[in-house]
Each structure stands twice: as C-alpha cells, then as structure tokens.
Amino acid sequence: MSLFRNLATATGIIGTLLTAYQAQKAAADIMKANAFSSENIRAGRVGALFITTLFIGGLADALIKRTFT
C-alpha cells in the first residue's frame, strides 16, 4: 500500500472513533435529560457506538478504496 493510502486509512480510523464517541455521548445526554435509568443509558451508548462505528467506518473504507483503486 502507498503512503497516502496508509495515511488515509489512519485518518479514517481516527475520524470514525471521534464521530462514534460524539454520537454516543449525545445519545447519553439526551437519555439523561429524559430521565432514563443508568442501565438504559449504558445500552444506548453501546448501541450508538456500534451503529455509528459500522456506518462511518464503512463509508470511510469505501471512500478510501474508491480513491486509491
């Protein structure tokens, strides 16, 4: 793999993790404001983290593959 593809992959991973963290934090804040229990908030954070990571990670991977092929 080329240097630029490696850099794009690293940037995509970092961007995915940051976006997933922000999404699960926003979901937890909304759930706290609506008086959900701590177990439901934890489940919501895990769900938001999983779904966001899959979605954003898939988009980043597809974009990197399309750019470098």
Side-chain angles (χ1 to χ4, degrees), residues 1-2 4 11 15 18 23 28-32 34 46-47 49-50 52 54 56 58 62 68:
M1 287 200 311
S2 70
F4 292 119
T11 304
L18 288 175
D29 290 342
I30 291 170
M31 292 176 83
K32 282 180 192 173
N34 292 329
V46 170
L49 184 67
F50 181 73
T52 306
L54 285 179
I56 301 297
F68 291 100

Side-chain angles (χ1 to χ4, degrees), residues 10-26 49 52-53 56-57:
T11 304
I13 290 168
I14 292 168
T16 298
L17 293 175
L18 288 175
T19 303
Y21 173 75
Q22 290 173 346
Q24 60 94 14
K25 185 173 179 339
L49 184 67
T52 306
T53 302
I56 301 297

Side-chain angles (χ1 to χ4, degrees), residues 23-24 27-28 31 38-50:
Q24 60 94 14
M31 292 176 83
S38 62
E39 293 85 17
N40 288 342
I41 292 172
R42 188 176 306 117
R45 288 183 87 146
V46 170
L49 184 67
F50 181 73

